[in-house]
């Protein structure tokens, strides 16, 4: 790998207090010509860890369409660098880059750091950052899609259905990072994400083994909301993508892929969202993975699932 020449220092980075984001630094270039910008701070808040993103840009002439990858982990855990254990990172990254798409992987605040809508604020902030610095990164600001799994699928779906015309948009968009800008996306891939926290609250949670040291895993939905669904049904509805998939909302195209035997997030969650998106006039492709549990456990077709997801994004991002 080779290091590009140092970028000129931006005077905005030399102020105090520093801005709530950092401008892109020079890329590391792989032997195959892929440019990688790693650990860019796209948003900060006093008292919280910086929110980071990585950018992987294919070899060749850009600007390239962008896929924003949002990790899972029950909003309690997870890391931008690692897909679920069923999906090799080389498969995910290689498939996206091989299709002529740039990949932006993001971290966001976990629920015990800050409850909802902090996670959506961070996703929106990352999209604003990509648009603001698209020229510096070799990206096309007009061709951005989102792709997430589990908790990340939920956030990807929210990013797709919550826009500038959404009621209470300012409260959902947030003002993290660069603070203002368009956060619309052109396509969404949602792997086994939650779509309706109210209906999901009737689904019994599976038993989880104790954490190291004997501590119990917090209830992910109560941690996300800072209360139970019964205590905060208003916030549960606000955190549910189906709330915003209504007539006239003009959602972008969605691909929903979900295991039919998912014991954590039932397949019916994706059925519910697909039906709502179609009633809203959007394109919703629902693909069941027969016999698969959460994170597609039990499926022999991970390669096909990844390939179908990338193909959907490439088609709608104009590759």
């Amino acid at each position: 790998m080779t290091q590009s020449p140092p970028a000129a220092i931006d005077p905005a980075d030399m102020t105090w207090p520093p801005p709530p984001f950092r401008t892109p630094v020079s890329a590391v270039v792989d032997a195959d010509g892929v440019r990688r910008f790693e650990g860019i701070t796209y948003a900060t808040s006093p008292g919280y860890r910086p929110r980071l993103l990585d950018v992987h840009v294919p070899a060749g002439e850009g600007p390239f369409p962008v896929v924003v990858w949002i990790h899972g982990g029950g909003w309690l855990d997870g890391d931008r660098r690692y897909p679920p254990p069923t999906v090799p990172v080389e498969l995910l990254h290689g498939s996206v880059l091989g299709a002529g798409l740039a990949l932006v992987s993001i971290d966001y605040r976990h629920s015990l750091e800050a409850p909802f809508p902090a996670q959506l604020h961070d996703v929106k902030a990352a999209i604003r950052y990509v648009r603001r610095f698209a020229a510096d990164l070799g990206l096309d600001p007009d061709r951005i899609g989102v792709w997430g799994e589990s908790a990340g699928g939920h956030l990807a779906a929210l990013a797709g259905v919550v826009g500038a015309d959404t009621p209470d948009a300012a409260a959902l968009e947030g003002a993290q990072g660069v603070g203002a800008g368009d956060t619309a996306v052109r396509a969404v891939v949602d792997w086994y994400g939650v779509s309706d926290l109210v209906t999901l609250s009737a689904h019994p949670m599976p038993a989880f083994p104790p954490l190291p040291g004997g501590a119990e895993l917090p209830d992910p939905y109560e941690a996300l909301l800072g209360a139970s669904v019964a205590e905060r049904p208003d916030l549960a509805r606000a955190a549910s993508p189906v709330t915003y998939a209504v007539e006239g909302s003009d959602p972008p195209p969605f691909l929903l892929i979900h295991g039919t035997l998912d014991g954590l997030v039932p397949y019916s969650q994706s059925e519910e969202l697909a039906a709502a998106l179609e009633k809203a006039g959007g394109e919703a492709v629902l693909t069941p993975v027969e016999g698969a549990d959460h994170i597609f456990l039990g499926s022999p077709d991970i390669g096909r699932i990844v390939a179908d997801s990338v193909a959907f994004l490439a088609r709608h991002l104009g590759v």
Side-chain angles (χ1 to χ4, degrees):
M1 295 188 294
T2 59
Q3 183 77 37
S4 297
I9 296 175
D10 187 334
D13 289 345
M14 298 186 290
T15 60
W16 189 264
F21 59 89
R22 307 297 287 178
T23 54
V25 296
S26 56
V28 172
V29 183
D30 288 354
D32 56 6
V34 172
R35 289 177 293 135
R36 305 184 190 276
F37 303 81
E38 298 186 342
I40 300 175
T41 299
Y42 73 85
T44 63
S45 303
Y48 297 94
R49 63 193 167 105
R51 266 81 79 206
L52 305 180
L53 58 79
D54 298 336
V55 183
H56 308 271
V57 185
E61 294 295 324
F64 293 95
V66 186
V67 175
V68 176
W69 168 260
I70 311 171
H71 69 76
W75 310 281
L76 288 160
D77 200 359
D79 187 311
R80 71 187 187 280
R81 299 167 295 178
Y82 307 113
T86 47
V87 181
V89 67
E90 297 84 3
L91 173 63
L92 180 71
H93 289 196
S95 298
V96 172
L97 294 169
L101 301 163
L103 178 67
V104 175
S105 303
I106 70 169
D107 284 332
Y108 52 88
R109 282 172 289 179
H110 293 154
S111 56
L112 295 185
E113 294 179 273
F116 184 85
Q119 297 71 32
L120 179 58
H121 288 173
D122 290 348
V123 171
K124 293 284 191 174
I127 294 169
R128 286 193 293 267
Y129 186 95
V130 168
R131 279 210 164 90
R132 168 78 171 269
F133 293 105
D136 301 87
L137 298 166
L139 309 179
D140 187 338
D142 297 322
R143 292 190 288 168
I144 299 177
V146 288
W147 179 4
E149 62 96 13
S150 195
H154 162 261
L155 294 172
L158 281 173
V161 296
V162 171
D165 297 330
T166 300
D168 298 322
L172 295 165
E173 291 279 337
Q176 299 290 319
V178 300
D182 180 19
T183 62
V185 298
R186 286 180 51 170
V188 179
V189 174
D190 173 1
W191 282 0
Y192 46 84
V194 170
S195 66
D196 187 340
L197 274 82
V198 176
T199 59
L200 186 62
S201 65
H203 177 72
M205 285 284 293
F208 294 105
L211 298 170
E216 291 188 4
L217 183 74
D219 182 294
Y221 310 116
E222 290 190 12
L224 178 67
L225 302 177
S228 69
V229 171
E231 292 169 324
R232 291 296 311 273
D234 57 329
L235 190 56
R237 286 191 292 272
S240 299
V242 293
T243 299
Y244 310 102
V246 295
E247 186 175 356
S249 60
D250 193 26
F254 269 68
L255 173 63
L256 304 119
I257 307 183
H258 208 132
T260 59
L261 297 183
D262 194 322
L264 181 60
V265 179
Y267 178 74
S268 58
Q269 286 283 298
S270 286
E271 290 181 308
E272 187 177 351
L273 181 55
L277 290 164
E278 289 176 351
K279 286 183 180 178
E283 174 188 345
V285 179
L286 174 58
T287 301
V289 183
E290 297 295 338
D293 201 341
H294 204 61
I295 68 169
F296 302 135
L297 280 170
S299 172
D301 295 327
I302 299 299
R304 178 188 58 79
I305 293 168
V306 171
D308 289 349
S309 301
V310 171
F312 180 87
L313 290 162
R315 182 168 69 253
H316 288 288
L317 296 179
V319 175

